[in-house]
Amino acid sequence: DGGITQSPKYLFRKEGQNVTLSCEQNLNHDAMYWYRQDPGQGLRLIYYSQIVNDFQKGDIAEGYSVSREKKESFPLTVTSAQKNPTAFYLCASSMGQGISYEQYFGPGTRLTVT
Amino acid sequence: AQKITQTQPGMFVQEKEAVTLDCTYDTSDQSYGLFWYKQPSSGEMIFLIYQGSYDEQNATEGRYSLNFQKARKSANLVISASQLGDSAMYFCAMRGETGGGADGLTFGKGTHLIIQP
C-alpha cells in the first residue's frame, strides 16, 4: 500500500541534543512538507520541498534543518537551537504544485525533550 | 498573508444529527483552495473535502459538504447524520496562488467535535 511513514511514533531526547525525524513516502509525490502541532493548536509549516535537492523555509523554520537527497525521503532535524522542541511533528506529501492538490499526511512523531 | 479562523473550540452533538463546523478565512489571493481535515485521537490527518475559490457549486463528498460563501469568506463544513466515529478534531485549511500554490497549507486552530449517543 502506498503511503507516508514516520518513525518513531514517540521520541524522547535530552535538552541540547539534536534529533532527526524520519519521513518516507512511496506515493511518487514531488512535494513534501513538515508541520509542527502544539496542544490545542493547528499545524504550522516548518519546511517544504518541491523537488529533490531543493527546499524552502516555512513559517517557523528557526532551529530546524532538512535535506532532500531522494524523492522518497525528507528527514527533519530538530537542533539544540530550537527553544521549545516538544511537539507533535507531521510530515506530508502532495502530488502536484497547485492550489487544488490535497496533502497526504503521515502518522506523526511525538517528540518530548526534557 | 493568509489566515483561517475557527471560532468553535468544541462542540457536542447528538448522534444522527447534522452538524456545521464554522470556518472563515482571509486572503489577498484571487485564486485559492479550501480544505477540511479530520484528526482522530491517533493523530493522523485525514483529508475530507476540497473547494476551489472559482468553483460555482459547493463541494460534496458522501456525508460531507462544504457551504462556501465567497463574499462572506466562509467555508463551513456540514456533516449530515453524524456518527460516533465522527468524534475528532476538525481543521479548516487553505492554500493560495502566491508561491505558485506549491507552498504549505495554512491551518485554523481546529474544532473538537464530540458525538454523543
Side-chain angles (χ1 to χ4, degrees):
Chain A
D1 287 339
I4 300 175
T5 57
Q6 292 185 247
S7 60
K9 190 171 179 62
Y10 298 95
L11 192 54
F12 299 88
R13 281 294 183 270
K14 294 288 187 183
E15 192 173 333
Q17 293 179 337
N18 291 355
V19 58
T20 297
L21 281 58
S22 165
C23 177
E24 303 277 335
Q25 56 100 355
N26 60 3
L27 299 167
N28 200 32
H29 288 173
D30 285 317
M32 297 187 74
Y33 309 83
W34 274 105
Y35 293 89
R36 168 183 173 136
Q37 185 178 26
D38 293 288
Q41 301 294 316
L43 280 65
R44 291 183 291 167
L45 182 67
I46 305 173
Y47 267 98
Y48 63 100
S49 169
Q50 300 169 18
I51 198 168
V52 173
N53 292 323
D54 185 53
F55 46 83
Q56 285 78 41
K57 293 181 179 180
D59 300 320
I60 55 165
E62 185 175 350
Y64 300 97
S65 66
V66 293
S67 63
R68 186 86 186 276
E69 298 176 0
K70 299 187 300 181
K71 187 176 184 177
E72 303 79 18
S73 179
F74 191 40
L76 173 74
T77 296
V78 184
T79 75
S80 56
Q82 169 50 234
K83 294 180 181 177
N84 189 15
T86 294
F88 187 50
Y89 290 88
L90 286 151
C91 178
S93 70
S94 179
M95 183 188 304
Q97 297 178 16
I99 59 173
S100 65
Y101 289 99
E102 72 265 29
Q103 294 182 5
Y104 296 82
F105 285 81
T109 292
R110 201 168 294 277
L111 174 65
T112 302
V113 177
T114 57
Chain B
Q2 297 159 358
K3 185 177 180 181
I4 296 283
T5 302
Q6 295 181 252
T7 57
Q8 306 154 309
M11 287 186 70
F12 288 88
V13 173
Q14 289 296 120
E15 189 180 8
K16 299 181 184 177
E17 289 184 352
V19 57
T20 297
L21 305 180
D22 294 341
C23 172
T24 57
Y25 61 91
D26 191 23
T27 180
S28 56
D29 289 334
Q30 295 299 308
S31 180
Y32 49 87
L34 296 154
F35 302 80
W36 277 92
Y37 283 85
K38 172 183 179 181
Q39 186 179 43
S41 57
S42 58
E44 63 192 294
M45 296 287 284
I46 302 168
F47 166 71
L48 296 178
I49 196 166
Y50 165 81
Q51 178 84 42
S53 58
Y54 287 110
D55 293 341
E56 294 185 352
Q57 294 200 347
N58 287 341
T60 61
E61 288 287 348
R63 293 188 300 113
Y64 304 108
S65 61
L66 201 152
N67 184 1
F68 181 48
Q69 298 187 42
K70 194 171 182 177
R72 292 187 172 185
K73 293 190 174 180
S74 96
N76 298 340
L77 177 70
V78 180
I79 305 174
S80 64
S82 58
Q83 302 170 356
L84 296 178
D86 293 333
S87 294
M89 285 290 294
Y90 288 81
F91 291 95
C92 180
M94 75 175 299
R95 176 194 252 166
E97 61 185 348
T98 302
D103 50 5
L105 295 169
T106 298
F107 284 83
K109 293 187 176 182
T111 295
H112 189 193
L113 175 65
I114 297 174
I115 307 299
Q116 297 175 314

